[in-house]
């Protein structure tokens, strides 16, 4: 599984044709520093922050986790490059870039600091929630970073910067709200029914067999 | 004119150009389409656009379509004074009085005292008068990102003046009034029928039987099913009446299915059945929704039609100063900056309202005037359908973000005696939740997690922890599934100073001024725009009825009025809002009214048609009064604007123009 994750990251880095050159370089650089132990740590923290397991979601997809970790690392390593990428995308859409002042408290080392703190909390034992509330959410930069991790699993975005197109359909917000990402075809007429009733939510038909970023139980 | 290069030269490969090329090419005429944007068509292009859309953080109408500095298309965010740093910028904004627009126009409230009988809900900021609608410059044009809504206009839409005589004196002293069209519903009905069958519209005749609309043939496809939330709106509206204070009369209101240019039947027009991808705007991934590439492809298959992409027409040529002198051809500029001249027996400008006006205003004719503009009406009367946004958190799930973006609306208030005093409107019931007003659901998880906008330091200071884990999942599930919005399209009156103009002076390649000219050295359109009293009253009425409707759906309503300030922040208008209920999420409210207005993407009125050459640019056949072989197509022709989405009428008129041009070519 870990090797598959690395392959996916490489594929993303190579296929991210629309990223500007500095951003692409940053993403590639970030991919190199993702090692299995670090990814496991990231997945553990992500699972805790998202409340896994949840009804219907047994565990998170590590392939997607590797993508998100690489993307967050890439952003931390070179926020200017991503800002330029964002400028282009937002500009094409016809909007100014919104200010993101909360990001300013995060330095390139914040992710490692957060993961180290998470490891320490697990090692220490005791009530993990109490420890996370005080030792992570009680520290400004760690709290901000942890919130970015939650947000990227839900929406696929960091500071409104999108992830790669291959991860587009995965954000969890669609799954939990009984909806689906835009531009993902389903079936004719499904929209007239209550989606919580079995057999009325429509079938995926574009070859994308997973709208969920989790693995269903 | 000796040996023109083509029978017909069309400027623009959008819906008008594609339908006209198909119709004339099928009759054997030699047709050239000149298109500023890039080609080619095809599946590959759609996939590229889809990927661009998926990677773009903002799902705006133009988000799938890559930047093309050689054929820039409008960005409708904040106008930036440093245009050179924003290669995607295109419009230049100024106030209707000719002064420059402010750099950061806010969409804030202004006290409304003009009538005292309608709740002062929506007041566009006088400074926020910039035009908010965009279009596409590429093969297929703006049908790439249209919703597919395909209404016929009502019979009274064509006789606004003779039926209701609306007229006002604006605050600046300008007299504005309504106008009749030079044609009637009965004149246009056969072309509506032809358009519905040519394009493929899904609807039922029974569902569209209101306001005197009659039809000579059934729709070609059965209607698209209503959404889950449509059914709840429809139930809530049972027995509801809207009291209009302007005429002191109540109107029965009801939810109606929306006629749509998307397939309920597999295979019609070669398109698949709609699969509810929820992205009609900005792109249908499977082309179940009609777009003009369909007829562009058919036109090219006739063997008589040629398309030249990367060809920006910037001038129409008229060799003689005599009244009625024909247009002989056009000049277009390629992406290397070289000009080329093409001649034709018939010239038709088939671009969007801003582009048609831009080309004409850049074409000198006689005595300092420009081509087709002896009436001085070219570029004037620019209009849109200003949209109010009212959105809510229902008590129970309505399951948004599924299916076509809108499948139903309230249409019966598109006509009535009130049109003497205020604009009519339609209510579009959205299936896209809060995507338009708040960018939900992308923002909803963060809203909940951060206790609605608090940063990490603020949370620590308040001794709060972000909402996370199962609690966050439960809240997001609950909140996202209860989001809905109503968007109301309103009617404006024509205003001569809402207009398109061009920069004075010529482009100097040694000292290029990209604030005024594009990358090809062609003038950028200067837009002056505003919301007149007629539309303001209509906007206020939309809020009244929408809040009434939501109050029938929500047991403990708390109404919040808010606006977006110059910094992009949402500000609650506490003077108008209810007291918040602390037990409710999202600030203690469940019904929200966005003050100001949004653009509908319906650009109209820049070369209006009419019977009088002194006050209009074309006749009812879309032929210029000044040049008998120059045709202007599209919603720039509208003398008055109603509140119905314009595209089906654009199509019907384009098909009619094809017939007229055919007859004219036979004679000449």
């Amino acid at each position: 599984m870990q090797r598959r994750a690395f392959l996916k990251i490489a594929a993303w880095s190579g296929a991210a044709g629309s990223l500007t050159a500095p951003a692409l370089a940053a993403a590639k650089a970030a991919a190199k520093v993702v090692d299995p132990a670090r990814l496991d740590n990231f997945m553990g923290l992500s699972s805790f922050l998202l409340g896994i397991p949840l009804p219907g979601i047994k565990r998170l997809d590590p392939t997607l986790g590797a993508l998100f970790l690489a993307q967050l690392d890439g952003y931390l390593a070179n926020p200017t490059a991503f800002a330029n990428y964002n400028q282009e995308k937002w500009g094409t859409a016809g909007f100014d870039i919104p200010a993101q002042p909360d990001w300013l408290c995060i330095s390139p080392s914040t992710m490692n600091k957060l993961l180290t703190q998470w490891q320490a909390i697990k090692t220490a034992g005791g009530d993990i929630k109490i420890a996370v509330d005080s030792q992570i959410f009680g520290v400004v930069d760690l709290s901000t970073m942890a919130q970015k991790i939650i947000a990227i699993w839900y929406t696929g975005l960091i500071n409104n910067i999108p992830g790669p197109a291959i991860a587009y359909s995965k954000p969890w917000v669609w799954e939990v709200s009984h909806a689906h990402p835009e531009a993902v075809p389903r079936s004719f007429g499904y929209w007239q029914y209550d989606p919580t009733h079995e057999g009325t939510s429509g079938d995926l038909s574009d070859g994308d067999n997973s709208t969920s970023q989790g693995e269903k139980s | 004119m000796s040996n023109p290069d083509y029978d017909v030269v069309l400027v623009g490969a959008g819906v008008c150009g594609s339908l006209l090329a198909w119709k004339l090419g099928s009759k054997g005429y030699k047709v050239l389409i000149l298109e500023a944007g890039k080609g080619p068509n095809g599946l590959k292009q759609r996939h590229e656009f889809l990927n661009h859309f998926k990677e773009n953080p903002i799902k705006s109408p133009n988000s799938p379509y890559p930047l093309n500095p050689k054929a820039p298309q409008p960005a409708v965010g904040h106008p930036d004074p440093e245009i050179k740093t924003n290669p995607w910028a295109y419009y230049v904004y100024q106030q209707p009085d000719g002064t420059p627009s402010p750099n950061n126009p806010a969409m804030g409230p202004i006290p409304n005292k003009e009538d005292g009988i309608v709740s002062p809900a929506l007041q566009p900021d006088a400074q926020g008068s910039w035009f908010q609608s965009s279009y596409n410059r590429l093969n297929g044009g703006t049908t790439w990102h249209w919703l597919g809504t395909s209404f016929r206009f009502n019979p009274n839409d064509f006789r606004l003046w003779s039926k209701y005589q609306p007229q006002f004196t604006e605050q600046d002293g300008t007299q504005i009034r309504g106008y009749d069209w030079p044609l009637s519903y009965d004149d246009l009905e056969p072309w509506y029928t032809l358009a519905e069958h040519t394009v493929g519209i899904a609807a039922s005749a029974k569902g569209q039987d209101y306001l005197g609309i009659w039809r000579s043939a059934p729709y070609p496809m059965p209607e698209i099913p209503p959404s889950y939330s449509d059914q709840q709106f429809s139930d809530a509206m049972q027995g509801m009446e809207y009291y209009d204070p302007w005429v002191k009369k109540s109107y029965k209101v009801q939810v109606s299915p929306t006629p749509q240019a998307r397939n309920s039947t597999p295979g019609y027009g070669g398109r698949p059945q709609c699969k509810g991808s929820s992205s009609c705007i900005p792109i249908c991934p499977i082309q179940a929704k009609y777009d003009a590439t369909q007829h562009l492809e058919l036109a090219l298959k006739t063997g008589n039609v040629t398309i030249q992409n990367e060809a920006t027409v910037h001038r129409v040529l008229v060799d003689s100063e005599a009244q009625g002198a024909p247009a002989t051809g056009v000049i277009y500029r390629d992406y290397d900056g070289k000009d080329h001249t093409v001649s034709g027996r018939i010239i038709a400008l088939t671009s969007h309202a801003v582009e048609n006006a831009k080309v004409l205003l850049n074409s000198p004719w006689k005595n300092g005037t420009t081509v087709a503009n002896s009436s001085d009406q070219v570029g004037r009367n620019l209009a849109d359908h200003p949209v109010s946004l009212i959105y809510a958190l229902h008590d129970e799930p309505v399951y948004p973000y599924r299916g076509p973006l809108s499948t139903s609306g309230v249409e019966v208030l598109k006509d009535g005696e009130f049109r003497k005093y205020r604009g009519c409107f339609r209510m579009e019931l959205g299936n896209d939740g809060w995507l338009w007003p708040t960018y939900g659901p992308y923002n909803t998880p963060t809203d909940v997690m951060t206790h609605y906008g608090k940063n990490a330091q603020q949370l620590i200071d308040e001794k709060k922890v972000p909402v996370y884990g199962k609690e966050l999942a439960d809240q997001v599930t609950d909140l996202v599934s209860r989001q809905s919005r109503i968007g109301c399209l309103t009617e404006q009156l024509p205003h001569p100073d809402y207009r398109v103009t061009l920069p004075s002076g010529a482009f100097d390649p040694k000292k290029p001024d990209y604030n005024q000219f594009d990358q090809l050295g062609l003038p950028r359109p200067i837009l002056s725009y505003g919301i007149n009293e007629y539309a303001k009253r209509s906007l206020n009425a939309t809020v009244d009825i929408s809040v009434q409707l939501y109050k029938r759906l929500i047991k403990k309503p708390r109404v919040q009025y808010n606006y977006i300030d110059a910094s992009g922040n949402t500000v609650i208008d506490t003077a108008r809002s209810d007291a918040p209920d602390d037990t409710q999420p999202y600030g203690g409210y469940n019904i929200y009214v966005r003050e100001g207005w949004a653009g509908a993407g319906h650009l109209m009125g820049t070369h209006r048609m009419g019977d009088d050459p002194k006050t209009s640019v074309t006749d009812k056949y879309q032929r210029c009064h000044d040049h008998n072989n120059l045709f202007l197509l599209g919603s720039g022709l509208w003398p008055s604007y109603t509140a119905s989405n314009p595209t089906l009428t654009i199509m019907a008129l384009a098909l009619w123009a094809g017939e007229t041009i055919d007859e004219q070519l036979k004679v000449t």
Side-chain angles (χ1 to χ4, degrees):
Chain A
M1 180 59 74
Q2 299 304 326
R3 176 168 170 72
R4 271 177 53 202
F6 274 109
L7 289 174
K8 288 277 187 174
I9 294 167
W12 167 53
S13 300
S18 61
L19 272 177
T20 54
L24 182 59
K28 285 181 175 176
K32 289 179 182 174
V33 299
V34 176
D35 64 67
R38 189 164 178 271
L39 178 59
D40 283 346
N41 207 14
F42 177 78
M43 294 300 294
L45 174 59
S46 295
S47 295
F48 180 80
L49 294 175
L50 293 164
I52 302 297
L54 286 168
I57 307 292
K58 188 169 65 176
R59 60 179 182 145
L60 296 175
D61 178 355
T63 303
L64 197 59
L67 273 174
F68 288 156
L69 178 56
Q71 193 174 1
L72 287 162
D73 282 342
Y75 193 102
L76 289 167
N78 195 345
T80 303
F82 274 76
N84 290 339
Y85 169 75
N86 205 21
Q87 175 87 33
E88 179 199 329
K89 294 296 183 186
W90 280 72
T92 306
F95 289 84
D96 283 348
I97 299 170
Q100 297 288 345
D102 63 327
W103 189 262
L104 299 176
C105 68
I106 298 177
S107 69
S109 63
T110 306
M111 179 64 85
N112 286 340
K113 187 178 164 189
L114 174 63
L115 293 177
T116 301
Q117 187 62 50
W118 166 246
Q119 191 63 40
I121 289 170
K122 282 197 304 180
T123 304
D127 189 319
I128 293 181
K129 184 173 188 320
I130 290 173
V132 166
D133 286 354
S134 62
Q135 296 171 38
I136 291 179
F137 289 123
V139 181
V140 172
D141 60 342
L142 299 189
S143 177
T144 303
M145 191 76 242
Q147 290 179 56
K148 299 298 177 193
I149 292 172
I150 295 171
I152 201 171
W153 281 99
Y154 266 96
T155 66
L157 307 175
I158 312 171
N159 285 2
N160 287 316
I161 297 175
I166 57 169
Y168 167 78
S169 63
K170 314 296 183 184
W172 202 9
V173 69
W174 305 111
E175 183 76 13
V176 301
S177 58
H178 307 290
H180 62 86
E182 298 168 87
V184 174
R186 292 174 80 93
S187 61
F188 181 72
Y190 76 90
W191 53 86
Q192 61 194 307
Y193 303 113
D194 177 343
T196 61
H197 288 179
E198 196 171 342
T200 58
S201 60
D203 300 313
L204 290 169
S205 56
D206 68 340
D208 181 351
N209 293 317
S210 172
T211 54
S212 170
Q213 60 187 267
E215 294 181 358
K216 293 190 177 183
S217 58
Chain B
M1 195 189 310
S2 60
N3 299 321
D5 300 322
Y6 293 90
D7 292 319
V8 184
V9 176
L10 304 176
V11 179
V15 68
C16 291
S18 298
L19 283 172
L20 206 50
W22 164 69
K23 183 142 187 164
L24 294 170
S26 300
K27 290 179 180 292
Y29 294 113
K30 189 179 171 189
V31 178
L32 172 68
I33 309 175
L34 296 167
E35 167 55 47
K38 293 182 177 180
N41 292 309
L43 197 59
K44 185 182 174 203
Q45 188 176 32
R46 189 174 298 271
H47 286 167
E48 287 171 357
F49 290 164
L50 272 170
N51 278 337
H52 203 250
F53 166 72
K54 291 175 179 178
E55 291 173 351
N56 205 317
I58 287 293
K59 312 306 182 191
S60 73
N62 276 353
S63 59
Y65 310 105
L67 182 66
N68 179 1
K70 297 294 177 68
Q73 57 196 18
V76 292
H78 287 179
D80 192 318
E82 295 298 327
I83 293 299
K84 279 177 285 190
T85 64
N86 285 290
W88 46 82
Y90 185 49
Y91 292 154
V92 180
Y93 294 94
Q94 69 179 22
Q95 307 267 34
D97 65 4
T99 58
S101 265
N103 296 332
N104 285 312
M107 303 294 287
I110 288 179
N112 177 13
K113 299 176 181 174
E114 87 280 11
D115 53 69
I117 57 175
V118 179
S119 65
L122 279 168
Q123 277 306 306
D125 189 315
Q127 291 188 321
S129 57
W130 38 287
F131 198 72
Q132 299 186 59
S133 286
S134 62
Y135 50 90
N136 291 121
R137 299 176 76 189
L138 74 169
N139 291 355
T142 310
T143 53
W144 275 97
H145 78 212
W146 77 309
L147 180 55
T149 300
S150 300
F151 289 109
R152 294 178 173 209
F153 290 0
N154 318 313
N156 285 342
D157 289 338
F158 298 93
R159 51 193 182 212
L160 179 65
W161 176 252
S162 56
K163 184 78 178 174
Y164 301 117
Q165 296 91 41
Q167 56 184 330
F168 289 88
T169 302
E170 287 285 276
Q171 289 181 346
D172 63 3
T174 306
Q175 297 279 337
I176 61 170
R177 49 164 284 187
Y179 289 88
D180 286 350
W181 288 50
L183 52 88
S184 68
Y185 179 87
D186 291 2
D187 291 333
L188 199 55
E189 200 284 336
W191 303 104
Y192 272 140
T193 298
L194 182 60
E196 286 164 351
H197 286 257
T198 299
V199 167
I201 306 297
S204 71
K206 184 182 176 187
Q208 306 307 314
D209 182 14
Y210 48 75
L211 301 179
I213 295 172
W214 65 271
R215 50 190 314 106
S216 57
Y219 282 102
M221 288 185 283
E223 69 188 21
I224 300 284
S227 69
Y228 185 78
S229 60
D230 288 344
Q231 297 165 57
Q232 299 193 29
F233 278 118
S234 185
D235 290 346
M237 224 172 208
Q238 293 295 323
M240 183 174 168
E241 293 187 343
Y242 175 67
Y243 176 76
D244 188 288
W246 292 102
V247 292
K248 297 180 172 51
K249 181 179 174 181
S250 292
Y251 293 83
K252 289 182 180 177
V253 289
Q254 65 186 45
V255 172
S256 303
T258 300
Q260 300 166 61
R262 59 178 53 82
N263 281 36
S264 58
T265 305
Y268 193 97
R271 303 194 303 263
Q273 194 177 36
C274 175
K275 294 187 182 297
S277 307
S278 305
S279 61
C280 321
I281 299 174
I283 185 169
C284 177
I286 60 172
Q287 206 178 11
K289 178 190 74 177
Y290 174 83
D291 63 63
T293 61
Q294 183 180 326
H295 277 94
L296 182 59
E297 190 175 334
L298 291 172
L300 296 173
K301 282 182 178 174
T302 66
N304 298 315
V305 177
T306 306
I307 185 166
Q308 176 69 52
N309 280 103
E310 305 182 10
T312 304
V313 172
H314 58 89
R315 186 161 295 189
V316 177
L317 299 170
V318 177
D319 289 348
S320 166
E321 293 190 352
Q323 186 64 28
T328 55
V330 299
I331 302 176
Y332 72 86
R333 189 163 295 176
D334 66 24
Y335 282 10
D336 294 326
K338 294 178 182 173
D339 280 348
H340 308 263
T341 300
V342 179
S343 60
R345 295 166 67 194
I346 297 284
I347 308 295
L349 303 190
T350 51
S351 302
H352 231 306
V354 170
E355 294 301 310
N356 281 356
K358 191 184 86 170
V359 173
L360 292 174
L361 292 170
N362 197 49
S363 302
W365 186 28
K366 60 179 181 180
N367 302 328
T369 64
T370 49
V371 166
N373 200 18
S374 63
S375 63
D376 189 31
Q377 292 301 312
V378 172
R380 294 189 184 275
N381 309 306
L382 173 68
D384 195 353
H385 291 137
V387 177
S388 61
L389 292 170
I390 302 95
Y391 50 108
L393 265 183
H394 292 241
D395 292 341
E396 300 294 331
V398 291
Y399 300 116
Y401 309 107
R402 304 182 312 137
L405 295 184
S406 179
T407 38
S408 295
V410 178
E411 314 300 340
V412 291
L413 295 174
K414 289 193 295 194
D415 192 36
E417 297 92 327
F418 48 75
R419 292 176 87 178
K420 179 175 179 60
Y421 307 101
R422 67 158 176 85
C424 66
F425 63 84
R426 67 172 296 253
M427 301 167 69
E428 177 190 275
L429 305 177
N431 296 330
D432 52 352
W434 288 8
L435 191 64
W436 193 351
T438 75
Y439 204 42
Y442 294 101
N443 287 340
T444 305
T446 301
D447 286 345
V448 175
M449 180 172 63
T450 61
H451 297 259
Y452 302 99
K454 292 184 170 63
N455 65 33
Q457 185 63 61
Q458 288 170 316
L459 290 173
I460 291 168
D461 292 344
E462 294 179 18
K463 301 189 186 311
K464 288 182 177 175
V465 171
V467 178
Y468 68 100
K470 185 176 184 302
E471 184 183 357
L472 176 61
D474 288 344
Q475 288 197 38
V476 171
T477 300
D478 174 54
L479 293 172
V480 172
S481 64
R482 291 194 284 130
Q483 295 172 350
S484 82
R485 67 94 182 156
I486 300 171
C488 300
L489 287 69
T490 59
E491 179 182 30
Q492 288 190 279
L493 285 182
H495 191 303
D497 295 334
Y498 299 173
R499 63 189 298 197
V500 179
T501 55
L502 300 182
S504 57
F507 180 73
D508 180 356
K510 293 179 181 174
K511 294 180 181 176
D513 180 2
Y514 294 116
N515 288 318
Q516 303 288 322
F517 296 88
D518 68 16
Q519 298 288 317
L520 293 178
L522 299 174
R524 294 170 45 188
I526 301 171
L527 268 58
S528 308
Y529 182 67
I531 304 292
N532 52 45
E533 204 61 34
Y534 195 67
K536 285 181 185 176
R537 292 173 180 175
S538 180
L539 286 165
N540 280 329
T542 66
V543 172
D544 277 354
I545 188 172
S546 299
V547 170
Q548 285 177 38
L549 175 57
Y550 272 131
K551 284 183 173 178
R552 294 167 77 100
L553 281 156
I554 294 169
K555 288 177 184 169
K556 295 179 180 176
R558 288 289 192 282
V559 183
Q560 177 197 96
Y561 293 87
N562 63 53
Y563 61 94
I564 307 297
D565 70 9
S567 301
N569 299 313
T570 302
V571 179
I572 299 173
D573 184 349
T574 52
R576 291 176 181 161
S577 301
D578 292 339
D581 173 358
D582 291 340
T583 65
Q584 297 275 358
Y586 278 110
Y589 297 97
N590 45 27
I591 300 173
Y592 305 82
V593 178
R594 172 63 46 78
E595 294 173 331
W597 81 96
H602 302 162
L603 299 90
M604 300 172 286
T606 57
H607 48 80
R608 68 183 179 194
M609 58 162 67
D611 292 325
D612 185 353
K614 293 179 181 174
T615 59
S616 59
V617 181
T618 80
D619 61 18
K620 70 177 180 181
Y621 300 106
Q622 306 158 73
R623 182 169 38 208
C624 290
H625 293 300
D626 291 341
H627 316 285
N628 64 7
N629 70 333
L630 177 59
F631 287 75
L632 309 177
L633 275 71
S635 46
L637 293 162
W638 281 202
S640 57
Y641 314 120
T642 183
S644 286
N645 307 48
T647 306
L648 185 73
T649 305
I650 292 172
M651 295 166 168
L653 284 168
L655 292 168
W656 188 353
E659 189 80 2
T660 305
I661 291 170
D662 177 32
E663 290 170 3
Q664 187 160 327
L665 284 168
K666 286 175 183 170
V667 172
T668 59

